[in-house]
Amino acid sequence: MSRKVAVIATGFTGQQHTEAIRRIPGNEVVALVDANPSALEAKAKALGVAKAYTDYKQMIEEVRPDVVHNCTPNGLHYEINKYVMEQGIHIYCEKPLAITVEQGEELARIAEERHVAAGVNFNYRNNAIVQEMKERVKNGSVGRVFHVTGQYVQDWMMLDTDYNWRLTSDMGGASRTIADIGSHWFDTSQYVMGQKIAAVRAETLTVHPFRKKPAKAVETFQTTSSGEYELVPITSEDAAFIQVKFEDGTFGTVNLSQVSGGHLNDLRLEIAGEKCSMEWKQETPDHLFVGTREFGTQVLRSAPGTLSGDAVRYATLPGGHPVAWSDALRNGIREYYASIENGLFGQTGQTYATFADGVQIMKLVEACMESAKTGEWVSL
């Protein structure tokens, strides 16, 4: 018997979730939800989903799905996550879990009380090469870690005419760049290191104090051809420069930007250790760059025969067939559904990010924003 799955919101992310769910045996996407009726009808037809709703509560009452994927804007996550779990339904939510730490902590408590599988989509940890990096840190191949560096750089908010719901505090929250992309780097680096970030020091930058909001809303990563705008003040950050300290005292730095020309989705993570360095670049996702004094930089390709430990099962294609962003998304959702199938989702140490993990990331973002105001290190 297949699991009935519903996806709320049909933008870029909702469409990707729908496709990923279908790549995992035992699941059927039975309903879509979107507040925009015209968009909903077109997306439901394109995705081949028979039932479509503008009201998620009506959908839950009529369909009674086993699992809901929440792909709505940030400001709607808390309300929907809470309602879904109160119905005893499993939930897989796009990050962030909510827009305040207090909301996130409440959701984590409800997940435990209602005993539902509650996952947050931090998909980069599910890339096969990221898994290999984790294995190599764990098995000692890197040796003692000297430091961790990286970046997450984009250009989709480079112009003052670039506008998105993430710019509003009610939908996007107080932070934008740190919460939107910095959170991914935090989760990925913590996952590879096998430990949490314990303290941060951050500087933020807003390059456009005002932006031109188009008269007609556009989806994420899309542009508008309309010449009608409303000038609106911007309070969130376009870039951030952050120092981090892990639990064992290891230092790291990460640069974040959504206004760097020519960078589309440029997430990078480098671990420098006493035996070698390792670097992963999300835009070449099946390559691991391993550097040594003796041999310079060597490139390892993602393939079952070249990876080690648990990383092997994340390389789902033979060598020479690159695994990439959509595969990592599917891997994370696969891990989530496996925890439901095996009845293990209530245990700690899940391979996917749980609501408790989501709260910790939210605390990191909040600490960065506090540090940017005070200029001081902030401990968690």
Side-chain angles (χ1 to χ4, degrees):
M1 182 177 178
S2 63
R3 277 182 295 270
K4 296 188 297 182
V5 184
V7 177
I8 304 179
T10 62
F12 168 79
T13 303
Q15 294 172 61
Q16 296 300 314
H17 275 247
T18 300
E19 294 182 5
I21 294 162
R22 286 171 165 168
R23 294 172 66 189
I24 302 166
N27 300 316
E28 180 185 1
V29 180
V30 297
L32 296 178
V33 182
D34 200 293
N36 184 334
S38 59
L40 174 62
E41 183 179 353
K43 297 291 176 57
K45 183 177 180 180
L47 293 168
V49 179
K51 295 183 179 181
Y53 297 83
T54 56
D55 184 334
Y56 71 90
K57 292 182 179 179
Q58 180 187 358
M59 179 276 294
I60 288 174
E61 181 179 349
E62 295 184 8
V63 176
R64 293 305 302 176
D66 301 301
V67 184
V68 167
H69 284 239
N70 184 1
C71 303
T72 60
N74 304 351
L76 301 176
H77 288 181
Y78 168 75
E79 169 195 317
I80 294 173
N81 291 344
K82 182 177 180 180
Y83 185 84
V84 169
M85 291 190 296
E86 287 175 343
Q87 310 310 305
I89 297 171
H90 302 306
I91 183 79
Y92 194 79
C93 181
E94 268 299 314
K95 60 84 196 163
L97 177 55
I99 59 173
T100 69
V101 170
E102 291 74 20
Q103 288 178 346
E105 290 176 332
E106 181 183 355
L107 293 175
R109 286 196 301 270
I110 294 172
E112 186 173 354
E113 291 167 359
R114 296 284 177 161
H115 192 59
V116 294
V120 186
N121 183 38
F122 286 106
N123 59 300
Y124 295 114
R125 64 159 67 187
N126 302 298
N127 183 281
I129 293 296
V130 173
Q131 292 285 331
E132 178 66 13
M133 293 177 77
K134 179 179 180 65
E135 287 293 322
R136 291 185 175 217
V137 169
K138 184 171 66 174
N139 67 26
S141 297
V142 180
R144 179 169 61 91
V145 175
F146 293 157
H147 57 78
V148 181
T149 55
Q151 67 178 44
Y152 200 159
V153 183
Q154 303 172 323
D155 69 359
W156 73 291
M157 300 300 289
M158 183 178 175
L159 309 178
D160 67 353
T161 52
D162 295 324
Y163 195 87
N164 181 267
W165 58 260
R166 287 176 174 81
L167 291 158
T168 65
S169 59
D170 59 338
M171 283 292 106
S175 168
R176 175 169 35 98
T177 300
I178 299 175
D180 186 28
I181 56 179
S183 60
H184 275 300
W185 191 90
F186 293 151
D187 181 76
T188 306
S189 63
Q190 289 185 144
Y191 188 75
V192 169
M193 288 287 287
Q195 57 182 295
K196 302 298 185 183
I197 294 170
V200 295
R201 185 180 182 279
E203 297 283 349
T204 60
L205 174 67
T206 301
V207 302
H208 295 303
F210 293 88
R211 286 182 180 266
K212 298 172 182 176
K213 179 182 178 181
K216 183 179 179 181
V218 295
E219 289 187 9
T220 302
F221 303 127
Q222 291 185 344
T223 58
T224 178
S225 57
S226 170
E228 298 180 8
Y229 298 99
E230 172 191 356
L231 201 63
V232 296
I234 302 301
T235 58
S236 57
E237 74 283 1
D238 291 310
F241 315 97
I242 304 169
Q243 295 174 288
V244 303
K245 185 188 294 184
F246 288 87
E247 290 171 317
D248 68 352
T250 300
F251 279 98
T253 59
V254 59
N255 294 334
L256 308 171
S257 174
Q258 295 183 320
V259 292
S260 296
H263 295 270
L264 299 180
N265 198 40
D266 193 357
L267 168 62
R268 305 186 189 193
L269 174 66
E270 182 169 4
I271 310 291
E274 61 181 343
K275 296 181 180 179
C276 68
S277 66
M278 300 185 298
E279 184 179 21
W280 177 67
K281 304 175 184 179
Q282 194 282 144
E283 291 186 342
T284 52
D286 68 326
H287 290 55
L288 176 62
F289 299 89
V290 180
T292 63
R293 279 278 294 271
E294 296 83 1
F295 304 108
T297 301
Q298 297 176 311
V299 181
L300 174 75
R301 298 289 296 275
S302 175
T306 59
L307 303 187
S308 55
D310 286 342
V312 174
R313 61 192 173 89
Y314 288 79
T316 53
L317 296 172
H321 300 75
V323 289
W325 189 93
S326 59
D327 300 292
L329 177 65
R330 186 275 311 275
N331 286 343
I333 295 175
R334 178 197 66 197
E335 296 293 297
Y336 169 77
Y337 279 98
S339 77
I340 297 175
E341 186 76 26
N342 299 324
L344 301 177
F345 56 83
Q347 299 181 7
T348 58
Q350 298 294 340
T351 51
Y352 62 90
T354 64
F355 273 21
D357 296 322
V359 171
Q360 191 266 341
I361 295 291
M362 292 178 67
K363 289 180 178 179
L364 266 177
V365 173
E366 187 178 77
C368 288
M369 299 305 290
E370 180 183 347
S371 174
K373 292 178 181 178
T374 65
E376 303 293 333
W377 280 90
V378 175
S379 298
L380 278 78

